[in-house]
Amino acid sequence: MSKAREFVDFWTENSVHAAEQYRTAGASQDVTELTRRLIDAANGQGISEAELRAEIGDIPVYIEERLRAANRAESERRRPV
């Protein structure tokens, strides 16, 4: 696994979360903000934006997909049995 992939997986796990549910504070759903945060954090670890793109493709699209997955999982988790 590349350093960029390892970083993206770690960052996503810790930074991309479900939206607000039941009047509780949720995580940012702003793709532009999250994209900037990921790129800035990666740069701080010596990983370039080009390396990120080589690993995950279009960064905003990747983050949007991860947000959708987090929101879907949260909705399913909260669904009554």
Side-chain angles (χ1 to χ4, degrees):
M1 180 181 301
S2 75
K3 180 180 177 182
R5 178 85 242 179
E6 191 173 331
F7 180 80
V8 167
D9 290 347
F10 175 82
W11 186 90
T12 302
E13 182 70 28
N14 290 285
S15 301
V16 176
H17 305 288
E20 182 177 326
Q21 299 284 330
Y22 303 112
R23 300 183 189 193
T24 60
S28 173
Q29 297 287 297
D30 185 323
V31 172
T32 301
E33 177 184 347
L34 291 169
T35 298
R36 180 188 50 77
R37 287 183 191 175
L38 172 57
I39 292 167
D40 289 349
N43 287 336
Q45 295 296 313
I47 301 166
S48 70
E49 186 174 341
E51 289 174 289
L52 290 176
R53 274 199 222 105
E55 198 60 50
I56 62 174
D58 187 295
I59 298 167
V61 169
Y62 177 83
I63 290 175
E64 189 171 6
E65 289 170 353
R66 302 281 45 95
L67 283 170
R68 270 196 235 113
N71 290 328
R72 186 172 40 253
E74 180 66 10
S75 291
E76 290 171 5
R77 187 184 76 76
R78 292 183 180 271
R79 186 174 300 143
V81 179

